[in-house]
Amino acid sequence: MNQKDRIIRATGAKAPMRLVVIDLTQAANEMSKRLDAKAYSAKLLAETAIASLFLSSSLKFRGTISTFFKFSGDISQIQADSTPEGIVRATIPHHEIVKMNQFEPALLPQSFEVIKTNDEGKRMQQSIIDAVQGTVSQNLASYLLQSEQVRSAVGIEAKINKEDSTKLEYAIGFMVEAYPDLSEKDLSIMEQVVLTLPPLHSFYKDGAFDLDGLLDILRGPYEIEIIKEIEPRFHCPCSEERLLKSLSTLPEKDLKELSSETKPLEIICDFCRTAYHIAPEKIKNILTERKGLN
């Protein structure tokens, strides 16, 4: 069964708290297909993408959250970008995906970094913490506490399909945030709700994940109000125009070398593997335009 991806955002009707649940299965599988990722690389991509979506769900302005999970070992870095509208993409260096194939990577977490930019690409905030935990969800909760002074409970899980390692059975997650004025009594109750939460795989039945059932249990004894429900989707905004704009920032010496080539310059997008072929004439145009501005 192919059910639609969903993000449900809710707040307590009376208790000051926020809940977000995400099913990213379809978009995660599309990202993996684009990058030729399978097994553990597909799992890590999905889980980092979900973490980014949790962060962008609370963004107070139109913009993008970029999440970087850095390691030493078989993978150097995973990056995921997302927006409050549920647009998401993620990547692992392609040569590392190819090298890892279906094997479980040897990883030592190094850092968890979050960069917030507005819709014009201006960097608004950057935070980084030591990634002392082994899972994306643990490090996200640590980041929220250390960098944003938010007490939270986070669960993120992507399950590899046993019969087809190029697909995930599901990619889901939940986040519960306590607002500063949540009483200690209510906080204790919510902590108990999370501690006694059934395993996430128990919500996966008949090829579908029961996101509403997960949210219903997470709310505990409290009434909640659904603030927004959206369908997240994979999207990469790369284009030849963007690439030419990036190339225009290169030093003149580098541009001259590229423009002297006889073959087009091939650039492959890290997020969607789209190949662009930039003719030398277009690079010469950049040099001509630069001279015209001087």
Side-chain angles (χ1 to χ4, degrees), residues 47 51 69 109 112 129-146 152-156:
E47 292 179 347
F69 202 9
F112 188 85
I129 65 167
D130 291 332
V132 296
Q133 305 292 338
T135 68
V136 175
S137 55
Q138 290 171 321
N139 282 288
L140 176 56
S142 294
Y143 162 80
L144 288 168
L145 184 60
Q146 292 182 44
S152 67
V154 182
I156 300 173

Side-chain angles (χ1 to χ4, degrees), residues 32 39 76 113-114 127 129 136 157 168 171 187 204 206 222 241 251 267 279 283:
S32 297
S76 59
E113 182 179 7
V114 176
S127 302
I129 65 167
V136 175
E157 184 176 296
L168 297 170
L187 182 63
Y204 182 69
D206 301 323
Y222 303 99
E241 182 181 357
I267 301 176
I283 300 176

Side-chain angles (χ1 to χ4, degrees), residues 8-228:
I8 306 175
R9 302 170 186 164
T11 59
K14 295 181 179 179
M17 60 182 180
R18 191 170 81 97
L19 300 90
V20 185
V21 291
I22 295 176
D23 184 343
L24 194 68
T25 308
Q26 303 303 318
N29 279 323
E30 183 175 354
M31 287 189 292
S32 297
K33 184 178 180 180
R34 295 264 188 156
L35 298 175
D36 197 26
K38 53 178 68 76
Y40 291 95
S41 56
K43 173 181 172 68
L44 291 169
L45 281 167
E47 292 179 347
T48 307
I50 290 171
S52 183
L53 283 166
F54 279 138
L55 290 169
S56 62
S57 71
S58 60
L59 208 57
K60 299 297 189 296
F61 50 84
R62 291 180 60 86
T64 301
I65 290 283
S66 294
T67 305
F68 301 85
F69 202 9
K70 297 182 180 180
F71 309 88
S72 61
D74 294 331
I75 295 178
S76 59
Q77 173 179 288
I78 305 173
Q79 178 184 347
D81 301 337
S82 67
T83 71
E85 295 78 27
I87 305 301
V88 66
R89 64 178 187 172
T91 188
I92 295 172
H94 194 251
H95 69 279
E96 295 176 354
I97 289 177
V98 173
K99 182 180 178 180
M100 183 168 41
N101 198 1
Q102 299 190 49
F103 300 104
E104 183 172 1
L107 299 175
L108 179 62
Q110 295 292 310
S111 64
F112 188 85
E113 182 179 7
V114 176
I115 297 175
K116 301 179 181 181
T117 56
N118 64 16
D119 56 355
E120 296 179 350
K122 181 181 178 181
R123 186 170 297 190
M124 306 298 289
Q125 182 182 340
Q126 179 176 1
S127 302
I128 185 169
I129 65 167
D130 291 332
V132 296
Q133 305 292 338
T135 68
V136 175
S137 55
Q138 290 171 321
N139 282 288
L140 176 56
S142 294
Y143 162 80
L144 288 168
L145 184 60
Q146 292 182 44
S147 297
E148 303 196 7
Q149 290 75 54
V150 172
R151 293 181 292 182
S152 67
V154 182
I156 300 173
E157 184 176 296
K159 184 178 180 181
I160 304 165
N161 188 293
K162 293 180 180 179
E163 298 178 357
D164 184 356
S165 64
T166 66
K167 293 182 179 181
L168 297 170
E169 286 192 13
Y170 60 79
I172 53 85
F174 72 84
M175 180 175 69
V176 181
E177 287 185 355
Y179 289 147
D181 50 345
L182 185 68
S183 70
E184 289 299 322
K185 178 183 177 181
D186 290 330
L187 182 63
S188 179
I189 291 172
M190 290 308 300
E191 285 178 344
Q192 193 60 31
V193 168
V194 174
L195 287 172
T196 58
L197 185 72
L200 291 178
H201 65 76
S202 66
F203 294 91
Y204 182 69
K205 299 175 183 177
D206 301 323
F209 196 89
D210 184 10
L211 204 64
D212 296 286
L214 173 60
L215 180 61
D216 188 52
I217 291 180
L218 276 174
R219 70 179 179 85
Y222 303 99
E223 293 184 7
I224 59 173
E225 296 178 352
I226 305 298
I227 302 301
K228 194 170 188 179

